[in-house]
Amino acid sequence: MESPVDARARELARIVWDHLVLSGPLSQADVILALGCHDTRVAAHAARLWHAGWAPLVIVSGGRGKITSGWDETEARVFGRVAREHGVPEDALLLEETAANTGENITASRRLVDERGIAVRRGILAAKPYMTRRALATARRQWPGVGWSASAPELGFDAYGGERRSIELMVGDLQRMVVYAERGFQVPMPVPAPVWAAYEELARLGYDGHVIR
């Protein structure tokens, strides 16, 4: 059972959340790329974007990651099933089942459409709310030449970000915004000083389960 999250940690986590969430506005695209994860609401959201006519094709990308390593199926298969249950037809759906991280979601999906001769000039990244900023930074580095936007399920911090695991994931994602930009994996997106201070205090308080050592 997770230990409770106190008021101070929630306050700090909300600061991190507000920085990491970067979605919309959307424009007509060639593809919706749903980034695999443990949260199937992302797949349902990608289906809603498809029904709204934002793009004719949905790619669901994901093998097994740190959190989903024990799943019986790949993230892509689970996401694909959810998308179909929400009305996305087979001919509008592509599964990419190898990616183990965000960078691979992008690069492996790029290979998949290249192999099929599908031209992508604009794309929409469907992701968890707090993954939207990092997803954009990654896609702009790993798949340049595409106009990327991001979209997430409409869930605020109180509905999504208050659990210890979610806070630890956010802390890890914020650190990666800096570390991965330095390593050339994504484009730089500056982190304001108050946000970085919140990250450092959360890490000091023990919310460091997904921090790169």
Side-chain angles (χ1 to χ4, degrees):
M1 184 176 180
E2 290 189 349
S3 57
V5 176
D6 63 25
R8 177 58 178 161
R10 287 180 63 84
E11 177 186 358
L12 295 165
R14 190 183 296 274
I15 294 170
V16 173
W17 169 279
D18 287 344
H19 176 71
L20 289 176
V21 176
L22 182 63
S23 61
L26 301 180
S27 59
Q28 197 70 31
D30 301 298
V31 66
I32 298 160
L33 173 51
L35 305 181
C37 61
H38 64 281
D39 190 344
T40 59
R41 291 176 293 188
V42 172
H45 182 66
R48 285 192 291 272
L49 294 173
W50 182 86
H51 280 292
W54 287 111
L57 180 66
V58 177
I59 301 174
V60 290
S61 172
R64 291 180 178 86
K66 292 188 293 290
I67 296 177
T68 60
S69 59
W71 283 14
D72 292 334
E73 298 177 289
T74 62
E75 294 167 357
R77 289 200 178 215
V78 173
F79 270 37
R81 184 166 60 251
V82 171
R84 287 189 290 270
E85 289 170 353
H86 283 78
V88 178
E90 203 70 47
D91 62 0
L93 191 63
L94 284 179
L95 271 63
E96 187 294 301
E97 297 189 71
T98 67
N101 55 53
T102 306
E104 292 176 4
N105 287 143
I106 306 302
T107 56
S109 296
R110 183 181 185 180
R111 286 194 299 271
L112 189 65
V113 298
D114 285 348
E115 289 167 359
R116 286 162 172 74
I118 299 169
V120 178
R121 296 176 181 84
R122 298 195 66 84
I124 298 171
L125 300 162
K128 296 175 292 185
Y130 61 82
M131 270 295 300
T132 46
R133 183 180 290 271
R134 189 159 78 86
L136 280 168
T138 305
R140 288 169 181 170
R141 174 68 75 199
Q142 301 296 337
W143 198 343
V146 173
W148 290 105
S149 56
S151 185
E154 294 184 5
L155 297 167
F157 173 80
D158 290 326
Y160 202 108
E163 296 180 355
R164 184 177 189 91
R165 182 172 71 168
S166 294
I167 293 173
E168 290 188 350
L169 286 166
M170 284 189 283
V171 167
D173 277 349
L174 185 62
Q175 183 205 30
R176 283 163 176 77
M177 291 292 300
V178 175
V179 173
Y180 285 179
E182 292 172 348
R183 296 179 181 178
F185 300 157
Q186 59 187 51
V187 298
M189 285 190 174
V191 178
V195 178
W196 191 251
Y199 154 79
E200 290 182 320
E201 188 170 351
L202 283 167
R204 183 181 61 78
L205 291 171
Y207 293 86
D208 58 353
H210 291 278
V211 167
I212 301 170
R213 305 297 178 179

